[in-house]
Amino acid sequence: MKRIDNSRSSFTEEHKYLLAKKRVEKIKSFYIHLAVYIFVNIFISAIIIYGLTSDNEYNFQEAITHFGTYSTWFFWGIGLFFHWLGVFGTNLFFGKDWEKKKIEKYMDDYKF
């Protein structure tokens, strides 16, 4: 009589669940980071534009095109981009199966 070992399958299911939960938490933290990035940078840009125009040093058009208005967007955006890479990885465009699928497609295209 063969004994069924459910402890191993239950361990792998629990492990898969924990990995999936961790992945969802990473994605959630990225979207929270993105939301904070947008709201904080809008606020900072508004303050900078107000400060530049209130001194009568710049008009509104010049204040909007001033680098200082968008510098936090740019530098924080670099950090946000690396956070995105950490969450979604570099294989977003060239996934794990991309190379295999392309080889199979070209093999089918070039039937000898």
Side-chain angles (χ1 to χ4, degrees):
M1 179 174 243
K2 187 173 182 175
R3 183 172 175 222
I4 300 173
D5 188 13
N6 286 335
S7 64
R8 186 165 189 78
S9 68
S10 121
F11 171 75
T12 58
E13 288 298 316
E14 184 176 342
H15 184 69
K16 286 180 186 178
Y17 172 77
L18 291 174
L19 288 175
K21 184 176 179 183
K22 194 176 209 180
R23 175 110 172 109
V24 168
E25 288 173 355
K26 283 183 176 182
I27 293 170
K28 180 181 174 185
S29 74
F30 171 75
Y31 285 123
I32 290 171
H33 186 184
L34 179 63
V36 169
Y37 167 80
I38 291 169
F39 290 123
V40 169
N41 279 310
I42 288 173
F43 180 73
I44 290 172
S45 294
I47 289 175
I48 291 172
I49 291 170
Y50 176 75
L52 290 173
T53 56
S54 68
D55 295 340
N56 293 328
E57 188 174 334
Y58 293 96
N59 62 21
F60 185 74
Q61 179 70 27
E62 292 171 335
I64 284 215
T65 58
H66 191 271
F67 176 72
T69 306
Y70 301 106
S71 61
T72 55
W73 289 90
F74 178 71
F75 293 113
W76 191 352
I78 293 170
L80 186 68
F81 172 73
F82 283 109
H83 189 178
W84 175 80
L85 278 180
V87 171
F88 296 107
T90 57
N91 63 352
L92 186 64
F93 302 110
F94 301 110
K96 295 177 183 176
D97 297 331
W98 178 82
E99 188 174 333
K100 181 181 171 185
K101 288 178 185 177
K102 282 295 184 185
I103 290 172
E104 289 174 0
K105 179 186 177 293
Y106 288 131
M107 285 176 66
D108 289 342
D109 287 347
Y110 300 115
K111 293 188 179 181
F112 297 102

